[in-house]
């Protein structure tokens, strides 16, 4: 259990994920429930958004070992924020907005995150589900959070007081930079279901996930 793989090796998972792909080649195809149009994001657009978000994180003092928590559905916002977090060497954790406040706090509070990135709701079975009240409870229940980023995914409302608009994260024109990390440096934290006790964090590292991605791409 105390084996350390490739001691001294340094890399960054986000760097390996974004180093290939022509600028005009589609990187993400974004689908939403209902009659929302399909959207594509090219590798060039994705790299620019990640570079801007990573620069914002660095300006707010986020660096290696800090935790960035998210309350997001499976959207481009989650992809961009995860890559930006990895790019600065911080640790990512995300809960779906179909979790309630208690279940989300039972997971994210363990990490004492410095940043919370939260959507206002999600789509389910033809309905727009409002999560503004849950986000308020998360802000109150995560005292270590210094910055809250608001993602207006479902509703057209003003940004809540004390939050940073998502558009501010991706509006910059910053160079794409990556902070090298040790092979086993934490990349993200997943959680067990919590059905037999409190949810337990499962830490994955930059090196292991990079190798997993290479394995998947080779097999498929």
């Amino acid at each position: 259990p105390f084996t350390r793989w490739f001691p001294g090796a340094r890399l960054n998972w986000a760097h390996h994920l974004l180093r290939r792909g022509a600028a005009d080649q589609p990187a993400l195809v974004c689908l939403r429930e209902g009659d929302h149009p399909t959207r594509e994001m090219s590798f060039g657009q994705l790299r620019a958004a990640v570079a801007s978000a990573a620069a914002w994180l660095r300006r707010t003092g986020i660096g290696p070992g800090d935790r960035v928590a998210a309350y997001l559905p499976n959207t481009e916002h989650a992809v961009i924020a995860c890559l930006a977090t990895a790019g600065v060497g911080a640790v990512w954790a995300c809960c779906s907005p179909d979790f309630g406040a208690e279940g989300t706090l039972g997971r994210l509070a363990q990490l004492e995150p410095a940043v919370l990135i939260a959507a206002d709701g999600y789509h389910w079975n033809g309905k727009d589900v409002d999560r503004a009240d849950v986000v308020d409870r998360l802000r109150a229940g995560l005292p270590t959070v210094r910055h809250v980023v608001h993602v207006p995914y479902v509703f057209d409302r003003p940004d809540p007081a004390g939050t940073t608009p998502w558009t501010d994260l991706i509006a910059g024109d910053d160079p794409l930079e990556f902070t090298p990390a040790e092979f086993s440096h934490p990349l993200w934290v997943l959680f067990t279901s919590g059905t037999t006790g409190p949810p337990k964090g499962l830490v994955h590292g930059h090196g292991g996930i990079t190798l997993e991605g290479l394995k998947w791409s080779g097999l498929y």
Side-chain angles (χ1 to χ4, degrees), residues 1-177:
F2 302 107
T3 300
R4 294 185 62 84
W5 295 95
F6 305 107
R10 300 180 68 81
L11 77 162
N12 189 289
W13 167 78
H15 177 211
H16 283 277
L17 204 68
L18 293 173
R19 66 192 177 95
R20 295 184 178 177
D24 59 351
Q25 179 183 352
L28 301 176
V29 178
C30 308
L31 306 174
R32 293 174 68 174
E33 185 177 312
D35 57 359
H36 298 281
T38 300
R39 304 180 319 285
E40 286 191 357
M41 176 174 278
S42 69
F43 272 97
Q45 292 170 322
L46 179 60
R47 292 188 187 105
V50 170
S52 178
W56 181 88
L57 288 171
R58 290 188 176 98
R59 287 194 299 271
T60 57
I62 303 303
D66 291 321
R67 278 77 66 197
V68 176
Y71 188 62
L72 294 171
N74 291 324
T75 66
E76 66 272 26
H77 313 90
V79 176
I80 293 166
C82 176
L83 287 166
T85 299
V88 304
V91 185
W92 171 258
C94 185
C95 286
S96 169
D98 59 3
F99 278 46
E102 183 177 345
T104 304
L105 287 171
R107 291 162 171 78
L108 300 184
Q110 299 180 43
L111 305 181
E112 299 183 341
V115 176
L116 174 65
I117 304 174
D120 56 4
Y122 64 99
H123 305 293
W124 180 78
N125 197 27
K127 299 177 182 178
D128 295 338
V129 182
D130 193 342
R131 279 316 208 195
D133 59 335
V134 176
V135 175
D136 287 342
R137 292 177 61 186
L138 297 182
R139 294 176 66 179
L142 296 171
T144 58
V145 167
R146 305 194 302 269
H147 302 279
V148 179
V149 179
H150 173 64
V151 179
Y153 182 59
V154 177
F155 302 100
D156 185 13
R157 298 170 178 162
D159 296 303
T163 67
T164 299
W166 171 259
T167 51
D168 284 9
L169 261 69
I170 59 172
D173 186 20
D174 304 276
L176 188 59
E177 299 177 353

